[in-house]
Amino acid sequence: MEHEILSKAYEAALILLDFQRLGFLAFGVLIGLAIGVIPGLGGIVGMALLLPFTFEMDTYSAFALLLGMGSVVTTSDTIPAVLFGVPGTAGSAATILDGHPMARKGQAGRAFGAAYTASMIGGLIGALLLAVSIPALRPFLLYLGSPELLAFAIFGLCMVSVLSSGSPLRGLAAAAFGVMIAMIGTDPTTGTLRWTLDLVYLWDGMPLVPIVLGLFALPELADMAIERRSITAESNVNSRSGQWEGIKDAFRHWFLVVRVGLIGAILGAIPGIGASVIDWIAYGHAARTEKGAEETFGTGDVRGVLASEGSNNAKEGGALVPTIAFGVPGSASMAILLGAFLIHGLVPGPEMLGAKLDVTYVMIWSVALANVLGTGICFAFSNQFAKIATIRQSVIMPLILSVLVIGAFQATRSWGDLLALLLFGLLGWTMKRLRWPRPPVILGVVLGGIVERYLFISVEVYGADWLFRPVVIVILGLSVLGLLRPLLKEVKASGGVNGMMSGYSTPRFDSNSIFYILFIAIVGVMVIDVLDLNFTARLVPLTVSVFAIAIATASFVNHTFRHGIGALGTEEDQRAKVARRLHMDLTADSTISSALVARRGGIYLTWILGFFLCILAIGMLPTVAVFVIAYMRAEGQERWRLVLPSAIGMTLFSYVVFDQLLALPWPMSLLGDWFPALRQIIPSV
């Protein structure tokens, strides 16, 4: 058996080394790198884009193309995460926590070097795990049922205690709110509509892309505009030397990279976990296990970049395990890859481990070679990528904002996507200013639907016995320990329970107090709204809502009445302490007055609203050109010789990538309604 496997692996390597197939692999890598750089797109878009082109290909070339693309999306998504604080895909959200602060310190090249090296190692670990584990993991993967998947989802939510810095109560409240957002729309068990505000847009739930871009991207761009700064204040980014330093960091912390690579590969093999969760789990693991991590993570610690990037590339190889072994897609993009199986007459399961073992190993080699090739390309252009960080905000802002708006619109291709982007942008900026952790919201959104669906199935199939399955007991035990850890630290730091309960005195109200009150009021209204629903439809939303109110109330009392310093102390009393700990929401504008922040923030909001109104009036592509020109001239008094090429280049880029290559629909404009003939000339009108 071992001889047969080695023989098939060698045969597959020779098949893939064919010049034409290597060409398809390289083309897939280039497409994947381009998609990863564009916020709002991801591997699933790339799979959908390339799948039709595989009909006339041989089986090996088709999977080389598709897996070449899918394997490197989470390599290049590091670029916007580090430079702009914008997650290129959901899998790079955790990279922002330390990657973006490094860029602001002029260490973008070092962050790139560390990220690319960790991504390559993680990708190779994922491919290796796939190569050796398909036969061995099959019985274990078949054992996992809805109770185990539910336990993994709960464990992911419990990571908020690590991701919330000195504010675990705020983190829990934010995560609960994220779960509530995930439950907007049609109840999966009864079909009942919940929290839809009578809007058809919300019937299928709130799409993830506008939420992620709103919470993370718009606030970063807003602060850049408010502070009138480029991404880094360094005028000369030395990315070459920094790049090699990042490579050394990856090998200096090789054991961490290997650990998170294994975490990514193993969790990627579990259907339903997803890339948007895996990097947070790996990041949380590093935050708990690395020496001094609690003091430095979130402020530009390269180990945080290594943890996130080493795991998110490894998951692709892991996700192929259940896809190949028994036809259960390990991720959304793997679901589309199953379409390629059908197109080429392949049946997932025993056949892929027997008669079609050569195809399986072509997939494995494709993942491995794509990671090496993608990393090499990123290294080759790292110097150019890092220098982007020095571009003036008046130049870079309209270009990035244009891509963000177009990317957000692709969630459901409706105006609701743009409104959601704006609303969550306001929420994200407010949370950032008030130092509320934002990552728990995304975790709640990603895992909320999974928790409800698997909870219903587990109770229906197993009753209360689902709680006593061995894997469930272990995972839930680790989850409870994760939740109790901040409380236990607080008790210890306070010298016991009595000491922890002391320190309360007369209340003091501030902007955070107002935010608490608004939060509790909004959740309270949502509670009232679900009371009239049937028991099945309201059970989980009501439970989560009440939990959110209880946690937010406790945090409000702690913030308003308690003035001591501890793990659960107020943010204002421990600001210096928090600044040294895991926190992605520290702003750099302490020298700017509140009045100036409000005025510049209002101007930035006006630009965004003007962007949306212009789209409504004349269409997306004309608006991109008008917006780039108007912003660069008004905000930076840039010269026409820079403004015009920027506007023309951005418009052509949007047309070629989104209209011609991706064939994405555009929002209809009033101008197009009035003059339909224009739509034959300008596609987006």
Side-chain angles (χ1 to χ4, degrees):
M1 181 65 179
E2 291 181 2
H3 176 74
E4 180 187 0
I5 290 177
L6 291 175
S7 175
K8 288 294 183 180
Y10 177 72
E11 179 184 339
L14 294 179
I15 290 172
L16 187 60
L17 289 176
D18 174 80
F19 182 78
Q20 184 179 24
R21 296 188 182 109
L22 280 179
F24 282 122
L25 177 72
F27 181 69
V29 168
L30 291 175
I31 295 293
L33 292 176
I35 288 175
V37 171
I38 302 173
L41 302 182
I44 190 170
V45 174
M47 285 285 184
L49 168 67
L50 295 181
L51 189 63
F53 297 100
T54 66
F55 280 87
E56 302 302 323
M57 293 183 183
D58 66 84
T59 302
Y60 309 114
S61 298
F63 284 101
L65 174 70
L66 293 172
L67 291 174
M69 186 285 304
S71 299
V72 299
V73 171
T74 49
T75 301
S76 61
D77 66 357
T78 306
I79 296 165
V82 170
L83 293 181
F84 313 122
V86 177
T89 69
S92 67
T95 306
I96 298 172
L97 274 68
D98 287 286
H100 191 53
M102 289 181 70
R104 295 180 63 172
K105 295 176 183 177
Q107 299 178 358
R110 181 184 178 189
F112 285 151
Y116 298 152
T117 307
S119 292
M120 183 182 69
I121 295 173
L124 293 176
I125 289 174
L128 179 62
L129 179 72
L130 174 63
V132 302
S133 66
I134 287 180
L137 282 179
R138 182 178 170 85
F140 175 73
L141 291 171
L142 288 173
Y143 171 78
L144 294 181
S146 56
E148 288 75 23
L149 297 175
L150 173 62
F152 276 111
I154 293 173
F155 176 74
L157 283 173
C158 291
M159 295 305 294
V160 298
S161 63
V162 175
L163 302 174
S164 303
S165 181
S167 309
L169 291 179
R170 290 181 182 178
L172 285 173
F177 187 67
V179 173
M180 294 170 65
I181 293 173
M183 295 179 184
I184 293 174
T186 307
D187 170 41
T189 57
T190 67
T192 305
L193 295 177
R194 302 179 302 200
W195 297 324
T196 59
L197 303 176
D198 295 325
L199 298 174
V200 176
Y201 172 75
L202 296 177
W203 282 16
D204 291 329
M206 183 70 70
L208 180 63
V209 170
I211 297 174
V212 173
L213 294 179
L215 284 177
F216 292 99
L218 282 189
E220 297 300 330
L221 294 179
D223 279 345
M224 192 189 304
I226 289 170
E227 298 162 27
R228 299 290 197 266
R229 60 171 173 81
S230 58
I231 297 170
T232 175
E234 298 287 334
S235 59
N236 183 22
V237 177
N238 188 355
S239 66
R240 285 300 178 194
S241 62
Q243 175 179 303
W244 285 110
E245 186 63 28
I247 296 173
K248 294 177 184 177
D249 286 325
F251 287 100
R252 192 177 296 125
H253 302 287
W254 66 270
F255 188 47
L256 170 64
V257 176
V258 171
R259 292 202 315 270
V260 297
L262 289 172
I263 289 173
I266 293 171
L267 293 182
I270 301 173
I273 299 300
S276 52
V277 181
I278 289 171
D279 65 325
W280 289 118
I281 293 177
Y283 189 88
H285 165 78
R288 289 187 177 185
T289 58
E290 289 295 295
K291 184 178 180 181
E294 289 190 355
E295 302 298 322
T296 58
F297 269 40
T299 62
D301 192 322
V302 72
R303 294 175 296 176
V305 175
L306 294 172
S308 174
E309 292 300 314
S311 64
N312 59 26
N313 262 39
K315 61 88 185 171
E316 204 66 25
L320 274 170
V321 174
T323 306
I324 293 173
F326 45 93
V328 176
S331 66
S333 59
M334 289 298 107
I336 297 180
L337 189 71
L338 282 176
F341 275 69
L342 179 63
I343 291 172
H344 293 277
L346 299 177
V347 179
E351 183 182 29
M352 298 300 297
L353 306 180
K356 299 295 183 180
L357 192 59
D358 56 338
V359 179
T360 298
Y361 274 98
V362 165
M363 296 183 190
I364 294 169
W365 283 117
S366 296
V367 172
L369 290 179
N371 275 280
V372 174
L373 181 59
T375 300
I377 293 173
C378 286
F379 271 128
F381 294 98
S382 178
N383 195 39
Q384 288 74 15
F385 293 147
K387 287 182 178 178
I388 295 174
T390 64
I391 298 176
R392 296 182 297 278
Q393 74 86 20
S394 58
V395 176
I396 199 70
M397 175 67 67
L399 306 181
I400 298 301
L401 190 59
S402 297
V403 174
L404 284 183
V405 172
I406 296 173
F409 183 75
Q410 303 315 317
T412 66
R413 287 91 183 262
S414 72
W415 278 94
D417 296 328
L418 300 184
L419 181 60
L421 174 70
L422 180 60
L423 292 177
F424 280 97
L426 291 171
L427 175 62
W429 188 76
T430 303
M431 293 179 72
K432 182 177 182 181
R433 288 281 156 177
L434 298 179
R435 292 179 169 83
W436 276 62
R438 293 171 287 167
V441 180
I442 297 299
L443 273 181
V445 172
V446 171
L447 294 175
I450 295 175
V451 168
E452 183 175 26
R453 181 170 62 254
Y454 288 141
L455 178 61
F456 175 79
I457 296 174
S458 299
V459 172
E460 285 291 312
V461 176
Y462 301 97
D465 292 340
W466 75 271
L467 286 165
F468 303 103
R469 292 165 69 93
V471 175
V472 173
I473 292 174
V474 172
I475 299 301
L476 291 184
L478 293 174
S479 303
V480 171
L481 287 176
L483 282 177
L484 292 179
R485 189 166 179 261
L487 180 62
L488 297 175
K489 288 180 64 176
E490 172 74 6
V491 172
K492 182 178 179 180
S494 303
V497 176
N498 292 334
M500 185 182 69
M501 298 304 296
S502 63
Y504 289 88
S505 59
T506 55
R508 57 179 181 183
F509 293 90
D510 55 15
S511 55
N512 239 313
S513 302
I514 298 173
F515 187 78
Y516 275 112
I517 294 171
L518 288 174
F519 180 92
I520 294 170
I522 291 172
V523 177
V525 171
M526 297 177 77
V527 168
I528 295 173
D529 190 61
V530 298
L531 289 177
D532 294 332
L533 303 181
N534 62 65
F535 178 78
T536 303
R538 74 169 184 260
L539 176 60
V540 178
L542 187 62
T543 302
V544 175
S545 303
V546 172
F547 175 80
I549 290 177
I551 292 296
T553 301
S555 185
F556 169 73
V557 171
N558 194 62
H559 169 83
T560 307
F561 292 91
R562 190 180 186 205
H563 309 309
I565 297 178
L568 303 178
T570 65
E571 198 75 34
E572 287 69 27
D573 285 336
Q574 54 176 335
R575 183 169 298 174
K577 177 182 177 181
V578 171
R580 297 190 304 270
R581 301 185 56 179
L582 175 60
H583 212 299
M584 68 176 293
D585 292 339
L586 296 177
T587 55
D589 60 344
S590 57
T591 59
I592 302 178
S593 68
S594 299
L596 186 57
V597 168
R599 184 171 69 84
R600 289 181 177 176
I603 294 173
Y604 177 70
L605 178 60
T606 302
W607 277 111
I608 296 177
L609 292 175
F611 197 140
F612 291 173
L613 291 175
C614 198
I615 294 172
L616 179 62
I618 64 175
M620 183 72 80
L621 286 179
T623 295
V624 168
V626 170
F627 179 73
V628 171
I629 293 172
Y631 193 95
M632 291 179 69
R633 290 293 296 170
E635 292 293 322
Q637 290 79 49
E638 302 292 345
R639 296 180 179 180
W640 282 107
R641 65 184 183 186
L642 175 61
V643 172
L644 290 179
S646 298
I648 295 172
M650 188 66 214
T651 305
L652 287 176
F653 170 82
S654 301
Y655 173 72
V656 171
V657 173
F658 294 104
D659 190 88
Q660 295 299 300
L661 292 180
L662 298 180
L664 298 176
W666 301 102
M668 295 295 97
S669 68
L670 296 176
L671 183 63
D673 293 337
W674 295 335
F675 304 100
L678 280 176
R679 287 184 177 149
Q680 303 300 320
I681 304 172
I682 307 175
S684 69
V685 170

